Amino acid sequence: ELKVEQNPLFLSMQEGKNYTIYCNYSTTSDRLYWYRQDPGKSLESLFVLLSNGAVKQEGRLMASLDTKARLSTLHITAAVHDLSATYFCAVHGSGTASKLTFGTGTRLQVTL
Amino acid sequence: GAVVSQHPSRVICKSGTSVKIECRSLDFQATTMFWYRQFPKKSLMLMATSNEGSKATYEQGVEKDKFLINHASLTLSTLTVTSAHPEDSSFYICSARYDRGFYEQYFGPGTRLTVT
């Protein structure tokens, strides 16, 4: 059974600081997603990472994937208040018709 | 991009009643639809997977008689919470997938169910 762990679960950081959220998974996967969720809302897709060494960046967020270590990171650069949200990684099992398994989520609070 | 809608966005019902939530793929044919449940400050938990025209596959621990899922067409799946109780109060999110190419999943906006 695929297990996905994120840490930290909660992150409070000041504006302007950098930080990294980690996502570990237990078995082989063919892709990994990062999503953002605002309170009371559904998921917003941020990144999909397909291969070992994949790196994607959008604004102050950068995601990377190490399939050998079964680890993905979401790096936040110079955080701003608007980035406050909960971030989930989700791992797709091997095979195109597999389902997604979500991590525990990281609640990010960026303070002024 | 692909759009998935849910209706209603919020619903309040009394204990013992049933409530139906609709999930529609607006601009593509959803071969597979998924239903998730999310408790406050928790992650998404997959409840069931449904394929058009066949019975849903439920995850372990999810009562199929309580959470009835119907995937009647390639653009519509419904989740009916039967004889709802306060512990069924939750945020329900559906997603839809077109089973060709990349097999991407698209998420609906969610339905907040409150059972009083």
Side-chain angles (χ1 to χ4, degrees):
Chain A
E1 183 191 342
L2 176 58
K3 293 191 188 305
V4 183
E5 293 183 351
Q6 271 180 253
N7 69 83
L9 297 183
F10 177 72
L11 176 56
S12 179
M13 55 191 298
Q14 286 183 319
E15 276 201 334
K17 300 290 188 184
N18 305 332
Y19 210 84
T20 301
I21 300 171
Y22 298 88
C23 174
N24 289 92
Y25 55 99
S26 60
T27 65
T28 304
S29 164
D30 64 6
R31 72 186 82 158
L32 186 144
Y33 293 85
W34 283 97
Y35 294 95
R36 170 181 171 143
Q37 187 179 37
D38 290 298
K41 304 290 185 183
S42 188
L43 302 179
E44 174 190 349
S45 180
L46 296 174
F47 303 108
V48 55
L49 303 167
L50 301 177
S51 58
N52 188 43
V55 176
K56 289 199 174 176
Q57 183 163 5
E58 181 74 35
R60 300 173 189 274
L61 301 177
M62 183 174 72
S64 66
L65 178 63
D66 180 343
T67 58
K68 293 178 182 175
R70 294 180 185 156
L71 170 69
S72 179
T73 60
L74 180 66
H75 187 73
I76 303 148
T77 302
V80 293
H81 182 67
D82 285 352
L83 289 179
S84 297
T86 299
Y87 293 85
F88 291 97
C89 63
V91 180
H92 191 265
S94 290
T96 50
S98 296
K99 58 188 181 184
L100 286 177
T101 301
F102 281 82
T104 46
T106 296
R107 189 158 73 92
L108 173 66
Q109 185 177 73
V110 181
T111 57
L112 298 171
Chain B
V3 179
V4 176
S5 70
Q6 277 183 247
H7 179 78
S9 56
R10 287 179 177 274
V11 58
I12 301 172
C13 70
K14 293 187 176 180
S15 277
T17 62
S18 295
V19 61
K20 181 185 285 188
I21 302 169
E22 292 186 349
C23 176
R24 292 181 185 272
S25 57
L26 298 185
D27 50 3
F28 67 102
Q29 292 185 325
T31 326
T32 304
M33 285 188 170
F34 302 87
W35 287 95
Y36 296 85
R37 182 175 184 176
Q38 186 180 30
F39 290 107
K41 294 183 170 42
K42 297 293 184 184
S43 187
L44 276 74
M45 182 192 80
L46 180 63
M47 299 173 67
T49 303
S50 73
N51 294 99
E52 185 262 342
S54 60
K55 289 185 178 180
T57 302
Y58 289 80
E59 296 297 304
Q60 196 171 11
V62 177
E63 297 176 62
K64 59 182 68 176
D65 293 331
K66 177 148 190 74
F67 299 100
L68 300 179
I69 292 171
N70 187 319
H71 192 159
S73 76
L74 284 171
T75 58
L76 173 64
S77 176
T78 59
L79 167 67
T80 302
V81 183
T82 62
S83 187
H85 288 100
E87 57 265 31
D88 298 325
S89 299
S90 193
F91 192 49
Y92 293 88
I93 302 175
C94 74
S95 72
R97 188 180 73 192
Y98 178 60
D99 291 347
R100 289 282 191 276
F102 194 62
Y103 283 65
E104 185 69 37
Q105 263 190 45
Y106 300 95
F107 286 86
T111 296
R112 171 78 57 196
L113 170 63
T114 304
V115 185
T116 60

